[in-house]
């Protein structure tokens, strides 16, 4: 593929492709003449992935670079590779909570992990993220929202089970790694969408549903529909 | 409060506070002399909220401005106010899927909404987001990940029910609006953390759990622990 074809097939403008090559996200093409490079299917595949991570998941170039590096770094075992990829997809934050909130949040996070019998690495970035959110809720004086952590834990287990079933069904380690990265990052967005749809549906008061549906421009459905 | 005290109590540096005022995220203080402004508890509360949205949820200044505007815009009813706030917390993306993927994704999203009997506004940004993610997965050739949408829908309903219980228990519309914004945005992060923790736990193969726990530096737990 020439760069113009790569651009057409991926939907990424030529200057953006050149930017990704300069930034190290995409391997350079194979030079066939001093100013002509050839690209192949692996470039196209990588380019589509970068585009989805940037435009759907809204990740920064720096975060995408970390993700791609984790996916291609040598791993000692499949478990190690999957762990690295999963850790790389965990959002970081730079929020410094007050000491009191931090301590209370650490206690709540450890209690939740213990109560569910979860085996978690002490350095797990997901545990760090959980602690950070809980500490922020305390700093914000939103103590009633803290109970959501326990309410979400059961659904999170169901979601994780579905994720691992799909990942485990992939035939090769490379394709499993790809599904960890895409599934984890786009899965967050998928979950955000479904959570909001379920909230939108549930926030229509039961008694006024037909009237509200008309007033808000919702499509009324027959009463016989499954709930 | 003087600006130095506001900075100390919120953990936000003085230049950043001034930046937020210039950007319209924070009301200016009350001028008590030509170069001395006073701030009150409402400024402190708002500043902590901005900080959490930026530093924990990683939102941009532009997104935070939209959220705060939605929360303070005049609403005709509590339902309307909550809907606006919820819509404002839905991530946007600028991914243009191929026409074939877009059509197939729209069909899958509508079928999923119908199968669950969800009442959804046709212009719902959450429906748009769902369609976008599904279309991206198709463009990326990750068709086996498409089934995750159906697998996540049930857990998403449980999560939404927990969200609405907490929101509904708030006494005033203002405090409900606040919980929609904080709970929706930080709730996404909370869920991302719990999903990764549950994945980390579930990805330890059952048979080798104790050995893996040692090898990976996990804290081994007694076999008697609940699972």
């Amino acid at each position: 593929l020439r760069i113009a074809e790569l651009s057409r097939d991926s939907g990424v403008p030529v200057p953006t492709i050149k930017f990704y090559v300069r930034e190290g996200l995409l391997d350079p093409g194979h030079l066939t003449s001093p100013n002509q490079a050839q690209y192949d299917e692996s470039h196209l595949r990588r380019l589509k992935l970068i585009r989805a991570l940037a435009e759907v998941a809204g990740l920064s170039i720096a975060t995408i670079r970390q993700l791609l590096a984790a996916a291609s770094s040598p791993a000692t075992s499949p478990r190690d590779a999957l762990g690295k990829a999963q850790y790389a997809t965990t959002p970081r934050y730079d929020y410094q909570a007050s000491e009191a909130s931090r301590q209370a949040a650490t206690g709540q996070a450890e209690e939740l992990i213990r109560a569910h019998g979860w085996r978690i690495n002490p350095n797990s970035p997901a545990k760090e993220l959980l602690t950070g959110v809980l500490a922020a809720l305390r700093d914000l004086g939103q103590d009633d929202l803290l109970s959501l952590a326990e309410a979400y834990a059961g659904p999170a287990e169901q979601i994780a089970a579905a994720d691992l079933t799909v990942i485990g069904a992939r035939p090769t380690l490379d394709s499993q790694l790809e599904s960890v990265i895409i599934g984890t990052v786009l899965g967050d967005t998928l979950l955000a969408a479904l959570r909001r749809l379920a909230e939108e549906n549930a926030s229509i008061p039961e008694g006024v549903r037909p009237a509200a549906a008309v007033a808000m421009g919702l499509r009324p459905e027959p009463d016989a529909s499954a709930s």
Side-chain angles (χ1 to χ4, degrees), chain A:
Chain A
L1 298 171
R2 292 168 56 186
I3 196 164
E5 295 163 319
L6 186 65
S7 169
R8 184 198 60 205
D9 293 353
S10 64
V12 178
V14 169
T16 306
I17 295 176
K18 291 181 173 171
F19 170 73
Y20 290 157
V21 172
R22 280 199 308 276
E23 289 287 316
L25 302 185
L26 185 71
D27 285 337
H30 175 72
L31 283 182
T32 52
S33 77
N35 51 14
Q36 178 99 347
Q38 279 292 119
Y39 299 84
D40 60 26
E41 285 300 316
S42 72
H43 289 96
L44 179 59
R45 192 171 178 87
R46 170 61 68 99
L47 207 43
K48 285 182 176 176
L49 175 59
I50 296 171
R51 195 177 153 224
L53 295 175
E55 298 180 9
V56 186
L59 299 185
S60 67
I61 295 298
T63 302
I64 294 173
R65 185 187 292 114
Q66 284 171 20
L67 279 182
L68 297 175
S72 57
S73 69
T76 55
S77 72
R79 179 78 194 77
D80 174 47
L82 296 174
K84 272 188 186 155
Q86 199 233 13
Y87 275 22
T89 60
T90 302
R92 297 295 184 286
Y93 63 93
D94 49 10
Y95 178 79
Q96 288 290 328
S98 69
E99 189 51 35
S101 294
R102 175 95 204 153
Q103 283 198 6
T106 302
Q108 187 186 348
E110 291 182 344
E111 171 57 27
L112 185 148
I113 289 170
R114 206 194 51 71
H116 285 80
W118 289 348
R119 267 79 166 182
I120 302 299
N121 190 308
N123 302 321
S124 163
K127 186 184 161 194
E128 186 60 29
L129 186 63
L130 172 62
T131 306
V133 179
L134 295 174
L137 289 173
R138 286 174 193 271
D139 277 354
L140 289 167
Q142 310 285 322
D143 289 28
D144 57 336
L145 299 187
L146 292 172
S147 66
L148 290 175
E150 278 77 24
Y152 288 1
E157 284 184 330
Q158 296 172 46
I159 289 160
D163 291 337
L164 290 173
T165 301
V166 172
I167 294 166
R170 294 268 177 122
T172 63
L173 178 60
D174 269 0
S175 64
Q176 289 188 349
L177 275 175
E178 192 180 66
S179 70
V180 170
I181 291 189
I182 298 176
T184 305
V185 173
L186 293 194
D188 283 344
T189 309
L190 182 61
L191 198 50
L194 290 166
R195 178 183 172 219
R196 283 160 178 75
L197 288 170
E199 282 180 353
E200 179 171 334
N201 174 64
S203 64
I204 301 175
E206 201 60 46
V208 299
R209 206 170 255 189
V214 174
M216 299 178 59
L218 298 170
R219 280 171 306 185
E221 302 223 3
D223 279 342
S225 68
S227 86

